[in-house]
């Protein structure tokens, strides 16, 4: 079975530069950020609030890029394009939302496993 985000632990370790306490704090910060992204995106979607979604997307974008969580950044870009072209009520948004939630769940589990 292919491991999801196999490089994530090494990226965190490299950034922590041998400081185990910082490595733990960094892992927890990534975990909390992913949870926040999932929660705020869910709220923004149910409220059809483009500004709320845009705000959380911009807040987490640097973290997602820095730790190469490209599956999520790609899906967020798809969502942005869907919202801009069709809005929330088009046929594409529910599928995008479902895909994003699945990808976030996988990333959240992976980061959680690293924190053990």
């Amino acid at each position: 079975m292919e491991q999801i985000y196999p490089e994530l632990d090494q990226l965190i370790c490299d950034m922590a530069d041998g400081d185990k306490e910082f490595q733990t704090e960094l892992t927890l910060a990534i975990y909390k950020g992913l949870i926040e992204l999932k929660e705020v995106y869910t709220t923004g979607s149910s409220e059809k609030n483009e500004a709320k979604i845009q705000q959380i997307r911009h807040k987490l974008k640097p973290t997602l890029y820095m730790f190469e969580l490209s599956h999520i950044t790609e899906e967020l870009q798809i969502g942005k394009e869907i919202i801009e072209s069709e809005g929330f009520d088009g046929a594409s948004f529910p599928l995008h939302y479902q895909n994003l939630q699945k990808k976030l769940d996988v990333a959240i589990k992976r980061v959680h496993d690293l924190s053990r």
Side-chain angles (χ1 to χ4, degrees), residues 10-77:
Q10 188 60 50
L11 290 168
I12 293 169
C13 187
D14 290 348
M15 178 145 308
D17 198 28
D19 184 336
K20 291 292 184 189
E21 186 177 328
F22 180 61
Q23 186 173 338
T24 301
E25 290 173 17
L26 187 55
T27 304
L28 184 59
I30 296 166
Y31 179 78
K32 287 180 177 180
L34 291 170
I35 295 287
E36 181 183 14
L37 175 58
K38 182 176 172 101
E39 290 172 353
V40 173
Y41 207 94
T42 297
T43 303
S45 298
S46 66
E47 294 173 356
K48 298 180 181 182
N49 185 329
E50 185 176 352
K52 190 174 276 190
I53 287 176
Q54 182 181 22
Q55 186 177 30
I56 192 64
R57 191 174 58 234
H58 284 289
K59 180 179 179 181
L60 270 289
K61 199 176 205 179
T63 300
L64 297 172
Y65 277 114
M66 190 179 309
F67 294 100
E68 299 179 10
L69 298 169
S70 57
H71 292 85
I72 297 170
T73 54
E74 291 165 6
E75 193 62 48
L76 288 171
Q77 182 61 35

